[in-house]
Structure formats: structure tokens, C-alpha cells
Amino acid sequence: MEMKQPITIKVFGGEQKCASCVNLPSSKETAEWLEAAIARKFPNQVFIVEYVDIFTTTEGDNFLFAQRVVEEDLFYPVVVIHDEIIAEGNPRLKDIYDIMQQHGYQHPAV
């Protein structure tokens, strides 16, 4: 399977942690952690991790989704790939890896 274009992984969240996420890393820290973990799993393969602050974004699709996160009281960070929610709260790397592999990303043989 061949990759068509790089996947964009959007991490929606805020500086203030949601009530049930107090002991977890911040949304921004989660975005940075995801980026590092995915880069290790799929070296030399291009992808984008975009952090979106749900309280400060003001336009476009990101704004509309940020509103949804707030209005529906979703647990953030909310991880989104291709407009599909992959994780709420503490994301599971395996779920994200599986989706990336479905889109042609390959883990190199050891």
C-alpha cells in the first residue's frame, strides 16, 4: 500500500486540563509526546501533528470542531485523523498506529 499524502493528526485541547484529566499530561504535552512516539514508530515517513487550542482558535474547520469539543464536553485532548475522533482523554498509541498503517505507513523490519 502506498501513501498518498501525509496524515495530519490534530490534537484538540486547552492549557487548562479537563476535570477528569487532572493527572494526565496537558493537551500540548500530549501532542508533543505523540509526535515523538510516531516518529520513532514510522521513521523517515512524513506526518503532521497539529495542536489546536480549543479556547483560542477562531476560524475554519478547527474552530468548528473546537466548539464541538467544548459544547459536547468531550474529554480532551481529542485526537482527530481525517475528521474522525480517534481518542478522547488519554490516547492509545496502538489505535493511532493502526490507523496510520491503514493509510500506508510502515514500521521498518528490525
Side-chain angles (χ1 to χ4, degrees):
M1 179 186 255
E2 201 174 304
M3 280 189 297
K4 292 175 179 57
Q5 64 183 38
I7 276 187
T8 296
I9 301 161
K10 294 186 180 187
V11 180
F12 289 83
E15 289 299 316
Q16 180 182 349
K17 297 178 184 181
C18 67
S20 56
C21 305
V22 172
N23 295 321
L24 297 175
S26 73
S27 298
K28 194 169 203 160
E29 290 168 336
T30 298
E32 292 166 357
W33 169 73
L34 280 175
E35 189 167 21
I38 294 167
R40 281 193 305 274
K41 178 77 171 182
F42 303 107
N44 305 316
Q45 296 170 69
V46 180
F47 65 93
I48 299 161
V49 175
E50 179 183 340
Y51 170 73
V52 181
D53 189 302
I54 59 175
F55 300 110
T56 61
T57 190
T58 57
E59 56 190 51
D61 293 340
N62 286 348
F63 173 71
L64 295 174
F65 195 86
Q67 277 188 310
R68 180 178 164 200
V69 171
V70 173
E71 289 169 3
E72 294 180 17
D73 273 337
L74 300 177
F75 296 122
Y76 52 87
V78 178
V79 179
V80 177
I81 299 175
H82 292 301
D83 298 322
E84 181 183 342
I85 295 175
I86 307 306
E88 269 186 72
N90 192 14
R92 290 183 52 215
L93 281 173
K94 183 184 180 323
D95 296 339
I96 295 165
Y97 291 163
D98 288 348
I99 288 171
M100 293 188 71
Q101 287 174 320
Q102 291 168 20
H103 286 87
Y105 286 80
Q106 297 178 349
H107 182 59
V110 178

